[in-house]
Amino acid sequence: MKNKPAILWTNLLVFLLTFLVAVIGVPLYAYLYGFDTVHWVATILTLGYAGMSITVGYHRLWAHKTYEAHPIVQFILALGGAFALQNSALHWSSDHRVHHKFVDQNDKDPYSAKKGFWFSHIGWMLRDYQANTYSDYSNVRDLQKNKIVMWQHKHYLALAILMNFGVPLLLGVIYNDIWGMLLTVGVLRLVLSHHFTFFINSLAHIWGSQPYTDKNTAKDNGALAFLTYGEGYHNYHHIFETDYRNGILWWQFDPSKWFIKGCSYLGLTKNLRKVPEAKIAAAKLQMQKYRTEHKLLEKPDHQELIAKLEVEYQHLVERIKLFGQVKKEYLIAKKQKMSDAAFSDIKENYKQLKQQISEQQKQWQQTIMQLA
Ligand SMILES: [Zn+2]
Ligand SMILES: [Zn+2]
C-alpha cells in the first residue's frame, strides 16, 4: 500500500482547535457571560469582510482576472484575505488555476471532488499532498508582477496574525469585552468563514444542477450561493470562468458581483468582463439538446425524433448567434449617438429579433417537454 503523505500539523491544529473553541468555548461563554447584539453584528460584518475578500479578491480578481481594481481596493482585499486565513492570494490563485485546468483529475486537481466530500472540503489541506508542487508559481507569473499581491505573500504570516488577533482585540478593547470578541469575531467568524469557502470545493461540486455543462462535477446551487457570497453558481463558473459574475441573472444572489459592479460606479473597479449572452444561451441549449437526445434513445422511432430536435436546435442556435451580432451593433449605435432615424431602425430590428427569440425559445421548451 502506498504511504499517505505526512500530516501537516500546523493546519490540522489550527482547524481542529478553532473548531473545538467554536462549538464548545463559544456556547459556554454565551451561557456564563452572554453575548449581545454588538457581538453578533461584529461577527457577521467581519465574516462578510473575510469571505468576500476571498470571493471578490482572491477568486474573481486575482485567480481569474475578471476585472481590474484600484490599489486601495486591492489593499483592503489583501488584508481581508489574510484575515480569512486561507494562505496568500498568490498561493491560493495558483492552486485555484490548477483546479480549473485539471478539474476532477485526482492526480492533478489539488481539491478534486472525485476524491470525495471530506478530501475536497478540508482533507486536501491536512496532509502534504502537494509536497512537490507547493512552491511552483509558474502559473501565476502575472500575479508575481502585482506589488500588492507580492507584499501580501511576503508578509502573509505577520498579516494573518495581525488581522486575526488585532481586529478582535481592537473591537474587544473598544467594547470592553476582549474575551467575548476574541471568541466571536476571532474564532467563530474564522471557523464559519473557513467552512463556507470550503463548501465551494466540496458541496458545489456535489449538490445542485448542471445547466451549462456536465463535463465536470461543478454544480449550480442557489442555496449554497447564500453561504458563499454568490459562488454557489459553480457550474456556470467552471464553464465561463472569465465572467466577473457567477449568478448571471439579476435576481440570483451574488453579492460579490454586486460589490464589483457597485465599485465600478465609483471608479474603483473597471473592465468588468462578461461572457456574451449568446454564448451562454448556446451552452445551455446544447446541454438541453444533449439531455433530450439521451432520453429519446429509449423510444422506437428515436431517429426521426432526434432529427426533428436537431432541426429546431440548429434554427435556434443560428437565431441566437444573429441576435448576438445585432445586440452588439445596437449597443455600439447607442454609444455613438447616431442620427435618430438610423438609430431607430437598428433599435427596431433589435427589438423584433429579441421578441422572435423569446417566442422561439418558448417553442423549444415545449418541444423538449413533449419529446422527453
Ligand atoms: Zn474559479
Ligand atoms: Zn470548482
Side-chain angles (χ1 to χ4, degrees):
M1 208 178 85
K2 219 169 94 180
N3 281 339
K4 280 194 168 184
I7 290 178
L8 297 172
W9 286 101
T10 312
N11 290 6
L12 181 70
L13 286 174
V14 167
F15 289 134
L16 187 65
L17 293 178
T18 53
F19 183 77
L20 289 176
V21 171
V23 296
I24 299 169
V26 172
L28 197 65
Y29 190 91
Y31 176 72
L32 294 174
Y33 307 102
F35 295 118
D36 57 36
T37 319
V38 175
H39 292 99
W40 300 127
V41 171
T43 305
I44 291 169
L45 290 179
T46 50
L47 178 66
Y49 172 43
M52 290 208 14
S53 294
I54 297 295
T55 62
V56 169
Y58 278 33
H59 190 212
R60 302 191 197 184
L61 175 64
W62 290 311
H64 293 301
K65 304 181 89 178
T66 66
Y67 66 98
E68 288 163 38
H70 190 280
I72 193 80
V73 175
Q74 294 198 40
F75 178 70
I76 293 167
L77 293 171
L79 286 181
F83 195 28
L85 204 63
Q86 293 185 24
N87 218 324
S88 70
L90 184 79
H91 191 90
W92 197 104
S93 299
S94 173
D95 271 350
H96 193 71
R97 286 182 187 178
V98 178
H99 167 63
H100 272 262
K101 195 170 175 192
F102 300 107
V103 63
D104 298 330
Q105 294 183 32
N106 286 352
D107 55 335
K108 287 185 182 149
D109 179 353
Y111 25 88
S112 174
K114 289 251 167 94
K115 283 183 153 181
F117 176 86
W118 177 257
F119 180 85
S120 59
H121 188 74
I122 195 169
W124 69 278
M125 292 174 278
L126 300 180
R127 285 180 182 273
D128 201 5
Y129 293 99
Q130 294 171 286
N132 301 325
T133 53
Y134 191 84
S135 302
D136 177 5
Y137 295 128
S138 55
N139 66 346
V140 281
R141 294 241 161 86
D142 54 314
L143 297 179
Q144 285 177 319
K145 290 180 200 144
N146 181 315
K147 281 189 185 136
I148 293 168
V149 167
M150 290 319 283
W151 166 79
Q152 194 234 29
H153 184 69
K154 197 173 162 199
H155 303 289
Y156 174 71
L157 188 63
L159 290 172
I161 292 170
L162 180 79
M163 291 301 287
N164 280 282
F165 288 99
V167 173
L169 278 175
L170 182 69
L171 290 171
V173 168
I174 293 170
Y175 197 56
N176 206 15
D177 179 11
I178 290 179
W179 279 110
M181 285 297 180
L182 274 174
L183 284 168
T184 51
V185 171
V187 182
L188 182 65
R189 183 265 326 155
L190 181 67
V191 171
L192 291 176
S193 168
H194 268 159
H195 291 283
F196 288 171
T197 309
F198 301 165
F199 277 150
I200 304 161
N201 297 334
S202 57
L203 276 185
H205 277 267
I206 294 171
W207 174 36
S209 62
Q210 296 192 298
Y212 302 99
T213 178
D214 65 352
K215 290 207 168 73
N216 58 63
T217 53
K219 310 282 193 295
D220 267 19
N221 184 321
L224 210 52
F226 275 97
L227 297 182
T228 56
Y229 316 96
E231 309 265 63
Y233 300 100
H234 207 55
N235 188 252
Y236 177 81
H237 173 63
H238 263 275
I239 187 169
F240 298 123
E241 64 189 47
T242 56
D243 199 317
Y244 84 94
R245 311 159 302 170
N246 279 13
I248 47 167
L249 301 174
W250 67 268
W251 53 267
Q252 285 179 326
F253 187 79
D254 187 352
S256 304
K257 156 188 86 176
W258 294 324
F259 181 82
I260 296 165
K261 183 77 183 167
C263 281
S264 74
Y265 295 122
L266 302 171
L268 292 170
T269 59
K270 62 179 182 184
N271 296 335
L272 279 52
R273 291 165 77 188
K274 263 192 196 174
V275 172
E277 232 175 298
K279 216 172 159 184
I280 301 170
K284 208 169 169 178
L285 210 60
Q286 202 180 14
M287 210 48 221
Q288 288 171 339
K289 180 179 92 116
Y290 166 76
R291 287 206 169 107
T292 312
E293 274 173 356
H294 230 72
K295 284 184 192 156
L296 288 178
L297 284 177
E298 290 156 19
K299 300 193 177 178
D301 54 345
H302 65 262
Q303 270 172 336
E304 201 181 310
L305 295 173
I306 288 175
K308 191 183 162 206
L309 187 74
E310 183 67 35
V311 171
E312 206 171 316
Y313 168 76
Q314 287 301 346
H315 196 48
L316 189 49
V317 166
E318 271 160 37
R319 269 297 163 85
I320 286 173
K321 262 190 206 156
L322 180 67
F323 180 66
Q325 284 164 7
V326 170
K327 189 176 176 182
K328 222 186 217 170
E329 281 164 24
Y330 165 71
L331 290 175
I332 291 171
K334 211 173 159 185
K335 259 191 198 160
Q336 281 175 346
K337 292 189 179 117
M338 49 172 58
S339 77
D340 280 355
F343 181 65
S344 83
D345 274 358
I346 293 174
K347 192 176 174 182
E348 195 49 40
N349 190 16
Y350 166 75
K351 273 169 86 178
Q352 263 182 17
L353 199 58
K354 195 174 177 180
Q355 177 67 22
Q356 283 169 7
I357 293 255
S358 139
E359 272 158 30
Q360 219 172 327
Q361 266 170 334
K362 268 184 215 150
Q363 172 70 36
W364 167 258
Q365 289 297 339
Q366 271 175 6
T367 308
I368 56 173
M369 294 265 278
Q370 277 166 7
L371 288 179

